[in-house]
Amino acid sequence: MNIIVVGLNHKTAPVEIREKLSFQPDLLEEAHKRLLKTPGVTEGMILSTCNRVEVYSCINDIESGIMEVKGFLSAFHGLPLERFEEHLFVCSAEDALRHLFRVAASLDSMVVGEPQILGQLKDAYQTSCKNKAAGVILNKLLHRAFSTAKRVRTETKIASSAVSISYAAVELAKKIFGSLEGKVVMLVGAGEMCELAAKHFINSGIKDIYVTNRTFERAEKLAEEFKGTPVNFNEFQHTLHKVDIVLSSTGATHYIIKPADVTEALKARKQKPMFFIDIAVPRDIDPKVNDIDNVYLYDIDDMQGVIEANVKGRSKEAEKAEEIIAEELMVFIHWLKTLDLTPTIVGIKERGEDIRRKELEKALAHLNGLSPEQIKVLESLTSAIVNKLIHHPVVALKTHAKGHYRDMYLEVARNMFDLADKEKEEPEEALEE
């Protein structure tokens, strides 16, 4: 069994590519079903955030499995593979495991140390479990990734000065306007990103905040928290002329702010500058808005420059985190290798029991008049002999499971006990770490 990751992220693909391959929450159930129907895929999980789309799969053959998962992405999104293949990255075996651990520990994030990715990864895992796409291997792998992330956060200071995307957006606004004193902000969306942005805006001197959201009650709640004004989502475009800064982060699948909306707002503002921050994936604001005079539009990829300065100050903590990941990785790899042992050991025990039972039946056929107690003694005797005979081979297999000759020992054992052609059974339980 092999583990692979096929995906793209903020390092390999611009937002205009990422948004085309993002999975909307209401489509994840169908996506997992189709992933499991992909030839060679036995387990799977889809992680889709504003900065990454990654498909984790357990497969039989690495080379064919990679092509099948690429084909799954292409077919599900109705997008020819040649349109995005150059932006994909592929990891397999140990590299795939290390990538997941780094993602969980927020070492692969645009904002190193940010806490959101761990929550997003847990949500992705729960969705996979809910859709019966996570099995023995992914269950163990994800729990190990979560515990690794916890170690990184408690044993290093990687998150002590983490800069959020929302913080970076506010810093960009400061660069545009110089000072945010007296400026008016509109938040389009009322999720975690917008809530964090609201706090940073308030701390930077913003007094007036408008909040709009598809669910008006949520907009009212967030507006009340920051003493702002809720706006009906179906009419928020008519309020744009009142604000200097618009930060948008919704789950819309199409542009909700278009050039005509901004042009109309600018007329009412007498061409007074406006600053738009689009941190949604897919994007909320039509990129053509940036072509309008006196308008500044930034998307999530533009946050990178602000964030990089923060990352430089955490190199030592990142090194400590990488060491923790290396330790945890070896523990999981050892467990993964023992999976091959389970069906072999079960097979050896079953072979011994099968021989014992048949030979005992033959012997009992020639021994008439034995009492139940005597038969019981023979049962115990033959069982003890078989168990003692197979004890050392089983111990030797467990001992050498983590060595360089693991495959050789397994092959020899399967041939010696005539298990080579026996179809492998699903491991009933994981061996102790």
Side-chain angles (χ1 to χ4, degrees):
M1 185 58 61
N2 301 288
I3 299 173
I4 63 169
V5 185
V6 177
L8 43 76
N9 57 29
H10 60 284
K11 298 176 183 177
T12 69
V15 65
E16 54 264 29
I17 296 295
R18 299 200 305 273
E19 66 187 4
K20 286 181 172 63
L21 292 177
S22 66
F23 290 83
Q24 295 303 307
D26 59 338
L27 295 178
L28 282 173
E29 180 178 352
E30 176 62 23
H32 279 89
K33 288 180 180 177
R34 288 174 62 174
L35 177 60
L36 284 182
K37 291 180 180 179
T38 301
V41 174
T42 58
E43 298 183 37
M45 182 187 76
I46 298 169
L47 174 62
S48 183
T49 74
C50 59
N51 279 329
R52 66 183 70 244
V53 175
E54 299 176 355
V55 180
Y56 294 80
S57 307
C58 293
I59 56 172
N60 297 319
D61 177 74
I62 292 179
E63 187 174 350
S64 62
I66 289 171
M67 289 310 301
E68 291 291 353
V69 173
K70 286 182 178 180
F72 157 75
L73 284 169
S74 174
F76 190 85
H77 294 289
L79 197 65
L81 183 58
E82 57 267 24
R83 290 276 302 277
F84 63 89
E85 187 171 20
E86 65 177 309
H87 298 287
L88 292 176
F89 68 86
V90 176
C91 299
S92 61
E94 186 174 327
D95 289 337
L97 304 177
R98 182 179 292 104
H99 175 77
L100 174 62
F101 284 18
R102 296 187 80 253
V103 169
S106 190
L107 291 180
D108 192 62
S109 297
M110 178 185 288
V111 182
V112 175
E114 55 89 8
Q116 285 85 5
I117 185 61
L118 183 57
Q120 292 165 333
L121 188 58
K122 288 181 177 180
D123 289 342
Y125 171 59
Q126 289 175 358
T127 300
S128 176
C129 292
K130 181 181 178 182
N131 291 286
K132 297 180 173 58
V136 173
I137 295 176
L138 281 186
N139 283 330
K140 185 76 171 182
L141 175 59
L142 268 297
H143 281 98
R144 177 61 62 179
F146 298 150
S147 64
T148 300
K150 183 177 180 180
R151 277 195 64 192
V152 168
R153 296 189 71 81
T154 55
E155 296 178 27
T156 75
K157 297 179 181 178
I158 196 73
S160 61
S161 57
V163 173
S164 68
I165 291 172
S166 299
Y167 176 84
V170 174
E171 289 300 299
L172 269 177
K174 288 181 181 178
K175 289 184 178 181
I176 297 296
F177 291 104
S179 171
L180 298 185
E181 292 287 343
K183 301 302 179 185
V184 181
V185 171
M186 174 180 285
L187 302 178
V188 183
E192 184 179 9
M193 288 287 196
C194 286
E195 186 172 357
L196 286 172
K199 293 177 180 177
H200 292 309
F201 276 126
I202 294 294
N203 292 335
S204 299
I206 293 289
K207 300 297 182 185
D208 297 321
I209 294 181
Y210 289 89
V211 182
T212 186
N213 192 60
R214 289 188 185 279
T215 304
F216 188 67
E217 289 75 13
R218 175 59 183 155
E220 286 183 310
K221 183 178 179 181
L222 189 59
E224 182 180 1
E225 182 179 349
F226 296 103
K227 299 180 181 179
T229 304
V231 178
N232 190 296
F233 190 80
N234 295 323
E235 301 173 357
F236 81 86
Q237 290 90 345
H238 303 309
T239 312
L240 288 176
H241 67 282
K242 296 181 180 181
V243 304
D244 304 293
I245 302 168
V246 177
L247 186 141
S248 189
S249 179
T250 76
T253 57
H254 58 277
Y255 299 137
I256 59 175
I257 298 178
K258 301 175 181 178
D261 301 321
V262 179
T263 300
E264 192 67 26
L266 280 173
K267 287 181 182 178
R269 290 170 59 83
K270 297 181 180 180
Q271 302 304 312
K272 189 178 177 182
M274 296 184 71
F275 178 47
F276 290 84
I277 312 164
D278 187 354
I279 55 177
V281 179
R283 288 171 291 180
D284 286 337
I285 304 173
D286 191 327
K288 294 178 181 177
V289 165
N290 203 36
D291 298 331
I292 302 173
D293 290 337
N294 296 317
V295 171
Y296 303 88
L297 170 61
Y298 290 85
D299 60 36
I300 194 166
D301 286 354
D302 297 317
M303 305 296 112
Q304 188 67 48
V306 178
I307 291 165
E308 283 178 354
N310 174 265
V311 175
K312 292 178 182 177
R314 277 180 276 160
S315 57
K316 288 185 178 180
E317 296 305 313
E319 289 176 7
K320 294 179 185 176
E322 296 286 6
E323 291 175 2
I324 292 173
I325 286 174
E327 292 174 9
E328 295 289 342
L329 189 60
M330 294 310 297
V331 172
F332 181 79
I333 289 174
H334 171 57
W335 174 83
L336 194 60
K337 287 180 177 179
T338 65
L339 284 184
D340 286 342
L341 245 71
T342 305
T344 299
I345 291 173
V346 170
I348 290 173
K349 291 180 178 180
E350 288 182 345
R351 179 69 73 200
E353 175 59 22
D354 184 54
I355 293 171
R356 183 196 73 81
R357 181 175 49 78
K358 289 179 178 178
E359 294 303 316
L360 181 60
E361 288 176 355
K362 290 179 184 178
L364 290 176
H366 297 287
L367 297 173
N368 297 319
L370 291 181
S371 67
E373 289 75 14
Q374 290 171 322
I375 294 175
K376 189 173 181 180
V377 169
L378 287 176
E379 286 273 5
S380 299
L381 172 66
T382 53
S383 291
I385 291 172
V386 169
N387 288 335
K388 288 182 182 297
L389 281 173
I390 69 174
H391 175 72
H392 185 71
V394 168
V395 170
L397 278 175
K398 290 183 178 181
T399 301
H400 294 285
K402 56 187 176 182
H404 294 295
Y405 301 103
R406 175 181 64 94
D407 292 340
M408 182 190 75
Y409 272 88
L410 282 171
E411 189 65 23
V412 169
R414 287 168 184 155
N415 281 291
M416 286 182 64
F417 289 90
D418 196 24
L419 304 175
D421 296 327
K422 184 179 179 181
E423 185 173 319
K424 286 185 180 180
E425 300 176 17
E426 286 294 317
E428 296 179 358
E429 58 180 350
L431 298 177
E432 292 297 322
E433 296 176 0

